[in-house]
Amino acid sequence: MSTLTASPETPETPETALAAPARPAYRVTGRRVLASEWAKLWSLRSTWITLGLGLLFLVAFGVIAASHYKSSLDSGRHLDRDFATSTAVSLSLFGTNFAQLALGVLGVLVTAGEYSTGMIRSTLAAVPRRLPVLWSKAAVYGLVALLVATVGAFVAFLVGSRIVSGTPAAMGLGHAGVVRSLLGAGLYLGLVGVIGTALGALLRSVAGGISVLVAALMLVPGLVSLLPTSWQGDIDPYLPSHAGESIFALTHDSTTLSPSAGLLVFLAWTALALAGAAYRLLRSDV
């Protein structure tokens, strides 16, 4: 009868250690940082709510403006000065000023929200080089805001143009400059989202970022109107909001910038905000 004897374990040698499967090495890459920011963006309930509000503002106010114009003509009432020279494009994009607040505020929340919760520490621990985090947040949210705003602009125009059909404001997509204006509105709102993201990273405060955003887009133009007329002509076209409006305006005059010039000026404002955010991110602790 044979007996089973337990053989001692084979001692580990350098050869067997090398033969053991190694753990996969994970590296921080641009694609993975983008994927991380994409996942974080859509995991927040505020993203869905605020994007929905931005889309609602853009479409609803455009339809309301077109309906008001149509009803005023049908009833024979005197049109307000703002509506007398309106077109289907200007009426449909009437809600741009309201949509920019929603999309800009969400941009602030994308970055400043992480500072308020302390999550930014985990983010920068995973991505020690820091700047890829800022670029990824700006790129991801800017693209989302661009797509949502462009869809909203086209929907508002398609509905609004049917409402004002048969009036002096009637226009179709085939009219010169219409598609360019609608795409310009989407681009403008997408860049507003990027500026909001930069302000959130620069100020690291939700309240502070929103305050500066609202002041830059809505309060500063009102203050400039109080300056002497000779000064207004030199300053007014280069303000962020007015330069942005020239991107999607259908007509221009001597007091406004051309679409290409307005885009360049607004891109400069966007780059300035991103540069300030990048500087503070590199120079300050979180």
Side-chain angles (χ1 to χ4, degrees):
M1 185 173 80
S2 62
T3 59
L4 296 176
T5 59
S7 61
E9 293 183 1
T10 304
E12 188 178 42
T13 64
E15 290 76 10
T16 57
L18 290 175
R23 293 182 60 187
Y26 293 100
R27 296 188 303 110
V28 177
T29 63
R31 183 179 62 82
R32 285 172 175 162
V33 177
L34 286 170
S36 172
E37 295 303 327
W38 177 269
K40 284 192 288 185
L41 177 66
W42 293 111
S43 65
L44 300 174
R45 186 181 301 174
S46 59
T47 299
W48 299 91
I49 295 174
T50 314
L51 285 177
L53 286 175
L55 184 61
L56 176 64
F57 290 158
L58 189 56
V59 175
F61 280 101
V63 172
I64 290 171
S67 300
H68 175 74
Y69 177 87
K70 176 69 171 177
S71 62
S72 298
L73 285 181
D74 293 342
S75 62
R77 295 198 306 266
H78 177 70
L79 287 173
D80 298 336
R81 185 179 64 178
D82 295 337
F83 283 92
T85 58
S86 295
T87 63
V89 172
S90 63
L91 292 170
S92 300
L93 298 180
F94 186 80
T96 304
N97 288 336
F98 303 95
Q100 71 181 358
L101 292 180
L103 297 177
V105 165
L106 182 56
V108 173
L109 291 173
V110 166
T111 48
E114 287 202 31
Y115 283 95
S116 62
T117 60
M119 187 177 177
I120 190 65
R121 297 186 183 90
S122 300
T123 298
L124 295 182
V127 189
R129 292 179 60 188
R130 295 194 174 191
L131 284 185
V133 174
L134 177 62
W135 309 144
S136 298
K137 286 181 181 293
V140 167
Y141 179 62
L143 179 61
V144 170
L146 169 66
L147 294 177
V148 170
T150 302
V151 170
F154 275 89
V155 170
F157 177 78
L158 293 175
V159 176
S161 61
R162 295 192 64 178
I163 294 174
V164 300
S165 178
T167 69
M171 277 186 165
L173 285 174
H175 281 74
V178 170
V179 173
R180 190 266 307 162
S181 294
L182 299 178
L183 291 175
L187 178 59
Y188 167 68
L189 292 174
L191 290 174
V192 168
V194 174
I195 290 177
T197 304
L199 289 177
L202 174 62
L203 300 175
R204 301 183 177 183
S205 166
V206 174
I210 293 174
S211 298
V212 172
L213 180 73
V214 172
L217 296 179
M218 305 188 72
L219 298 183
V220 172
L223 295 176
V224 171
S225 66
L226 301 177
L227 296 175
T229 306
S230 59
W231 293 11
Q232 293 181 30
D234 297 330
I235 299 175
D236 206 54
Y238 301 96
L239 296 176
S241 57
H242 291 167
E245 288 174 2
S246 66
I247 299 174
F248 59 87
L250 193 61
T251 58
H252 299 81
D253 55 35
S254 59
T255 63
T256 61
L257 298 175
S258 66
S260 56
L263 176 59
L264 290 175
V265 171
F266 199 73
L267 284 173
W269 283 111
T270 306
L272 181 62
L274 285 171
Y279 179 82
R280 186 171 187 194
L281 189 61
L282 289 175
R283 296 292 181 178
S284 302
D285 292 333
V286 297

